[in-house]
């Protein structure tokens, strides 16, 4: 992993690393009783070795909330980085998302996400880009009505309440 220079002396301001260390300790209590760190490390648009190394560095400097999604295609790298980091799974707040195109296969997709991440639970499972009743391009030239997403929410809620540490489902 790359060395991370301390630039505080040059600027007089806290470094990103110092901010992450402090912010990772600031949490909000969720309705189910769990605590979610307010600062999370997002992994959108990073894949492969870059995703692995970025998450390793994030965990090394103190991030304890990692956000990914099946759409990002980096869950396996995130899981490997978490395992290799030496940080206990219970210390990391892990979020992933179901893509609207996977509605109808949510159970299968959830199992695949858990396997790729190398964990048996998530702290939050999001249904990304709800777009209920709104048509949006699913593929070039194709438009799809996403109203059926409400059915996925109904199907997922029991799994969330039974199988997830924080017992929450967020819809964004």
């Amino acid at each position: 992993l790359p060395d991370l220079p301390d630039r505080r002396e040059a600027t007089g301001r806290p470094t990103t690393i110092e901010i992450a260390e402090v912010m990772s300790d600031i949490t909000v209590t969720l309705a189910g009783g769990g605590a979610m760190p307010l600062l999370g490390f997002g992994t959108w648009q990073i894949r492969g070795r870059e995703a692995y190394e970025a998450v390793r560095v994030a965990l090394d400097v103190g991030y304890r909330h990692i956000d990914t999604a099946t759409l990002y295609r980096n869950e396996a790298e995130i899981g490997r980085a978490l395992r290799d980091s030496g940080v206990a799974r219970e210390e990391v707040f892990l979020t992933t998302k179901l893509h609207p195109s996977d509605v109808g296969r949510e159970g299968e997709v959830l199992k695949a996400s858990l396997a790729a991440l190398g964990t048996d639970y998530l702290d939050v499972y999001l249904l990304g880009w709800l777009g209920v009743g709104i048509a949006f391009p699913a593929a070039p030239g194709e438009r799809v009505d996403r109203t059926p997403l409400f059915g996925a929410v109904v199907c997922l809620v029991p799994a969330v309440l039974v199988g997830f540490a924080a017992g929450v489902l967020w819809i964004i």
Side-chain angles (χ1 to χ4, degrees):
L1 297 175
D3 288 329
L4 301 169
D6 184 356
R7 289 179 267 185
R8 186 179 191 129
E9 291 178 17
T11 65
R13 296 186 310 256
T15 65
T16 302
I17 294 169
E18 291 169 325
I19 293 169
E21 289 172 347
V22 171
M23 289 299 295
S24 291
D25 291 335
I26 300 173
T27 62
V28 62
T29 302
L30 302 172
M36 179 180 72
L38 288 181
L39 180 65
F41 184 77
T43 62
W44 167 241
Q45 294 185 328
I46 55 174
R47 294 188 184 145
R49 184 170 178 80
E50 183 182 10
Y52 172 82
E53 289 180 357
V55 171
R56 281 294 308 275
V57 169
L59 292 167
D60 286 348
V61 302
Y63 279 90
R64 292 299 180 263
H65 182 175
I66 305 295
D67 176 83
T68 187
T70 55
L71 177 69
Y72 302 174
R73 296 187 197 121
N74 61 14
E75 290 175 323
E77 291 85 358
I78 305 307
R80 189 166 58 90
L82 179 56
R83 284 188 304 280
D84 292 352
S85 72
V87 177
R89 170 62 185 91
E90 306 79 48
E91 294 180 26
V92 178
F93 192 93
L94 189 57
T95 300
T96 194
K97 301 171 203 74
L98 174 73
H99 190 267
S101 65
D102 291 324
V103 168
R105 302 180 323 113
E106 48 278 341
E108 171 189 342
V109 173
L110 174 59
K111 286 178 185 174
S113 288
L114 291 170
L117 290 163
T119 186
D120 58 357
Y121 72 97
L122 296 169
D123 296 290
V124 170
Y125 192 46
L126 302 172
L127 179 55
W129 206 93
L130 186 58
V132 174
I134 300 171
F136 75 101
E142 180 185 5
R143 298 192 69 77
V144 176
D145 179 11
R146 294 299 182 194
T147 305
L149 291 178
F150 275 124
V153 172
V154 172
C155 292
L156 287 171
V157 168
V160 170
L161 295 177
V162 171
F164 294 95
V168 243
L169 172 68
W170 289 357
I171 305 167
I172 59 170

